[in-house]
Amino acid sequence: MENGAAQPVIVAIDGPSGTGKSSTSKAVAAQLGLSYLDTGAQYRAITWWMVTNGIDIDDPHAIAAAAGKPDIVSGTDPANPTIVVDGTDVAAPIRTQEVTSQVSAVSAVPEVRARITELQRSIASGAEGGIVVEGRDIGTTVLPDADLKIFLTASPEARAARRSGELKGADVHATREALIKRDAADSSRKTSPLAKAGDAVEVDTTELTLTQVIECVVTLVEEKRAGK
Ligand SMILES: Nc1ncnc2c1ncn2[C@@H]1O[C@H](COP(=O)(O)OP(=O)(O)O)[C@@H](O)[C@H]1O
Ligand SMILES: Nc1ccn([C@H]2C[C@H](O)[C@@H](COP(=O)(O)OP(=O)(O)O)O2)c(=O)n1
């Protein structure tokens, strides 16, 4: 590359829960000086707002009618990603079991997806140095022209073991069941389901350490940049 100046690059990382999307994306962005966007945190944030404001999660019409109300702001520094709703830092409350169990229903509502997708595209286009965006439908729907698309996978056993390692005292079997249920809901919804883009590179992380996955993705980004 001329003068060693890096071109802005847009990287989409998708996959089911516990495959390593967040940890990999943050590390790759930090290492390469890119911005970072956790789109799952945005869906969790709008779900938290619905729950907090007493919206009936079983009523898609009520969710659709409220979808435009919360103000959601994502901070894209990989060293300090933030998520703020109507001025409140919701980084902790969006990770509760209550939000986790409701997020698939809320994120299946087309009006919610339209709202959040627009936000994601505007953040990606404003990231002048490039960005790593992670989620479920980034390569297929949000940023179909991304420079590089990665689809992470891992066995349900590996994913459940990783997740229950995070939640103190969580039962691996219960975690595995909840995770499989959420993946099924996310993969079968009508609007923009969890799916691998045709041109995504699939990386099975079951037998890889996090360091190996990060190295693999960094290499793929560098190869892309070199080919530009
Ligand atoms: N390849 C890996 N090997 C072992 N543990 C991993 C690996 N990748 C991620 N983890 C751990 O698994 C957990 C879930 O990872 P995370 O990045 O949050 O996944 P996702 O964003 O896909 O749900 C974290 O505790 C993370 O440190
Ligand atoms: N691009 C995205 C990202 C997340 N979602 C939805 C579906 C997911 O179950 C939830 C939560 O995503 P998140 O990435 O935080 O989930 P993990 O628990 O990290 O696996 O949000 C989505 O529909 N589309």
Side-chain angles (χ1 to χ4, degrees):
M1 197 163 297
E2 280 174 39
N3 303 326
Q7 296 286 318
V9 67
I10 293 191
V11 182
I13 302 192
D14 291 298
S17 182
T19 51
K21 297 181 302 297
S22 293
S23 352
T24 304
S25 302
K26 252 184 276 183
V28 168
Q31 215 165 304
L32 298 175
L34 306 174
S35 297
Y36 160 70
L37 179 62
D38 176 355
T39 65
Q42 296 176 313
Y43 285 103
R44 287 173 176 274
I46 199 164
T47 302
W48 171 86
W49 186 91
M50 299 280 169
V51 170
T52 305
N53 286 277
I55 309 294
D56 181 1
I57 303 297
D58 296 324
D59 180 357
H61 297 291
I63 294 173
K69 292 187 181 171
D71 176 49
I72 300 171
V73 179
S74 299
T76 59
D77 175 357
N80 181 32
T82 55
I83 181 88
V84 172
V85 180
D86 294 340
T88 301
D89 175 356
V90 293
I94 63 166
R95 304 285 162 195
T96 60
Q97 198 47 46
E98 187 182 21
V99 170
T100 302
S101 66
Q102 315 269 33
V103 65
S104 292
V106 173
S107 57
V109 175
E111 287 78 0
V112 168
R113 300 210 72 80
R115 166 95 206 280
I116 302 289
T117 297
E118 191 189 340
L119 194 57
Q120 292 160 355
R121 287 182 179 147
S122 99
I123 292 169
S125 64
E128 287 176 7
I131 190 165
V132 181
V133 183
E134 54 121 335
R136 302 293 191 285
D137 62 337
I138 310 306
T140 54
T141 304
V142 179
L143 302 168
D145 297 327
D147 298 293
L148 176 66
K149 300 178 187 178
I150 310 280
F151 194 80
L152 297 183
T153 63
S155 71
E157 289 70 28
R159 299 192 287 119
R162 292 174 189 171
R163 275 274 171 257
S164 47
E166 284 178 330
L167 312 163
K168 273 193 195 123
D171 173 74
V172 184
H173 295 288
T175 304
R176 184 179 181 278
E177 294 314 303
L179 191 137
I180 288 173
K181 194 174 154 204
R182 186 148 60 91
D183 288 348
D186 295 341
S187 304
S188 63
R189 67 173 172 240
K190 284 209 183 84
T191 310
S192 199
L194 160 64
K196 175 181 174 291
D199 53 351
V201 180
E202 185 166 332
V203 180
D204 183 345
T205 72
T206 309
E207 304 290 340
L208 302 179
T209 64
L210 179 56
T211 307
Q212 288 174 318
V213 181
I214 294 164
E215 274 171 14
C216 168
V217 177
V218 166
T219 303
L220 288 167
V221 177
E222 283 172 343
E223 283 172 3
K224 265 287 162 194
R225 276 177 156 170
K228 268 187 172 177

